[in-house]
Amino acid sequence: MDSTELDRNAAAMVAPGKGILAADESTGTIKKRFDKIALESSFESRRAYRELLFTAAEAERHISGVILYDETIRQQAADGRPFPALLASRGILPGIKVDAGAKALAGFPGETVTEGLDGLRERLAEYRALGARFSKWRAVIDIGAAIPTPTALEANAEALARYAALCQEAAIVPIVEPEVLMDGDHTIERCEEVTDATLETVFDALFRHRVRLEGMVLKPNMVIAGKKCPKQAKPQQVAEATVRCLRRRVPGAVPGIAFLSGGQSEAEATLHLSLMNRVRELPWQLSFSYGRALQQSTLEAWRGNPGNVAAAQRVFLRRAKLNGLARDGSYEAAMEQAAA
Ligand code: 13P
């Protein structure tokens, strides 16, 4: 294992002022996103959309890396350049989603375990040859009356740790993503309790599997009330609860934490990140690895129309820039109107 390269790339992924674009929607998920703009999902429409994102001028000022899907890492821009090479030429690290999705955990109704470990060593070698320098594996933890169970947390943590160890063996930085869902009507306190238990279990497994903390990036949920909870927490409360929870559970050797947006609006996700970055003396970088919160307005501006590409790229750049500002706490909610 080349720990120097791993550590260097992990630090680059969470470099100040920048964050990660999650453009790794599976074929099923991107179809759902395209359905909302009444666009047919095809090999070509998916390619055209990713080209729009990856060629947006100046994006490299705010975007450190892009997570790709298996189909996308093999696709090319209209001028024939493979997407990973195009990104690398702009100083953006190409990444790859390697999990095979969350599947029902036998014996545990309502809970899942993420699959994809079989053959992973060989797939990582291929992805590395295709240009991937980091990867992502997402575990999904749902909150309910009697879930999550310790067994589901442990099964998911074990898979995350085995994945992370295999990535580091292949000189690929693992993004370790345990996502506690914001679906449901749970309170922010319940989210904090479950996120705390999840992170404790995940870091315990990472230690046992000898994962090098300096060469990984954590991608957690923010601590936030469930979407259907009648008592929604204020942005400052979300920021404080999230930082408190992470401080208790994430060792300072981890270079950075890149949040998922998980169903928050673009403005909410940016504001929460900015507020968190106003907290002083954090041991790690606090960054973003947003999917929906970086793409929603871009998709709406594009709508599959080639004539809208330039306008959609401007929308994307603006969103990336606002999140870049949130990296040091200098984003203000009022900028949404000002920059519109
Ligand atoms: P969202 O930001 O849309 O939650 O997506 C991030 C991601 O990569 C989830 O795995």
Side-chain angles (χ1 to χ4, degrees):
M1 168 178 71
D2 179 354
S3 52
T4 325
E5 185 192 342
L6 269 183
D7 296 6
R8 200 178 54 238
N9 285 340
M13 287 160 67
V14 293
K18 297 186 187 182
I20 297 166
L21 165 67
D24 61 326
E25 297 84 2
S26 64
T27 309
T29 302
I30 196 79
K31 182 180 180 310
K32 282 191 227 155
R33 308 275 186 267
F34 282 6
D35 282 348
K36 292 211 179 103
I37 55 166
L39 176 69
E40 192 190 334
S41 175
S42 66
F43 183 85
E44 176 50 28
S45 63
R46 294 190 291 270
R47 193 207 63 74
Y49 176 58
R50 267 64 182 252
E51 174 161 359
L52 179 163
L53 294 173
F54 305 162
T55 58
E58 295 181 24
E60 69 278 4
R61 289 165 59 178
H62 317 290
I63 301 293
S64 57
V66 174
I67 318 176
L68 305 166
Y69 182 59
D70 181 77
E71 176 185 85
T72 323
I73 200 172
R74 302 168 197 280
Q75 284 182 318
Q76 300 163 359
D79 65 8
R81 273 180 302 169
F83 282 148
L86 187 161
L87 292 168
S89 74
R90 306 185 62 188
I92 298 174
L93 287 165
I96 180 76
K97 168 202 181 79
V98 300
D99 67 69
K103 305 288 160 65
L105 180 64
F108 291 80
E111 296 193 281
T112 60
V113 64
T114 299
E115 296 187 349
L117 288 169
D118 288 357
L120 183 56
R121 177 176 275 125
E122 292 71 26
R123 288 197 291 130
L124 287 168
E126 188 197 3
Y127 287 139
R128 165 105 193 162
L130 285 168
R133 292 296 176 266
F134 72 94
S135 65
K136 179 189 110 172
W137 177 290
R138 172 174 175 257
V140 182
I141 309 298
D142 207 353
I143 299 182
I147 61 169
T149 61
T151 305
L153 290 183
E154 281 158 22
N156 277 293
E158 192 68 15
L160 274 169
R162 285 182 58 195
Y163 141 82
L166 281 164
C167 288
Q168 293 190 333
E169 179 188 85
I172 287 179
V173 177
I175 290 184
V176 173
E177 179 179 4
E179 174 174 5
V180 176
L181 296 177
M182 61 184 287
D183 302 341
D185 62 359
H186 54 269
T187 61
I188 185 170
E189 288 81 11
R190 175 87 171 118
C191 179
E192 182 167 356
E193 184 181 283
V194 172
T195 304
D196 182 271
T198 300
L199 292 175
E200 181 184 15
T201 314
V202 166
F203 278 96
D204 180 59
L206 293 172
F207 282 121
R208 283 190 287 99
H209 284 268
R210 303 179 176 169
V211 172
R212 184 180 166 84
L213 299 184
E214 293 84 347
M216 64 162 273
V217 169
L218 179 71
K219 176 165 174 168
N221 53 284
M222 294 181 197
V223 172
I224 194 166
K227 270 184 235 161
K228 295 189 208 121
C229 177
K231 199 169 153 256
Q232 289 296 313
K234 297 244 170 5
Q236 187 60 33
Q237 201 186 346
V238 172
E240 283 170 17
T242 305
V243 169
R244 176 172 60 226
C245 185
L246 294 170
R247 270 197 204 276
R248 286 179 178 158
R249 294 299 176 201
V250 185
V254 173
I257 295 169
F259 293 100
L260 58 94
S261 59
Q264 298 178 50
S265 71
E266 291 182 339
E268 282 168 341
T270 310
L271 179 59
H272 289 147
L273 181 64
S274 193
L275 293 174
M276 282 190 257
N277 272 310
R278 288 182 197 170
V279 179
R280 297 167 79 95
E281 291 179 27
L282 295 171
W284 359 252
Q285 294 287 318
L286 283 187
S287 186
F288 57 91
S289 175
Y290 296 157
R292 284 162 285 180
L294 268 173
Q295 297 182 53
Q296 210 161 301
S297 52
T298 304
L299 266 172
E300 282 157 18
W302 177 54
R303 306 193 81 84
N305 181 345
N308 293 339
V309 167
Q313 287 182 321
R314 283 194 294 277
V315 169
F316 175 65
L317 183 67
R318 170 171 172 267
R319 203 67 242 158
K321 191 172 172 181
L322 292 174
N323 281 298
L325 290 172
R327 288 285 283 102
D328 68 2
S330 53
Y331 164 89
E332 310 267 358
M335 290 177 180
E336 294 294 335
Q337 283 74 39

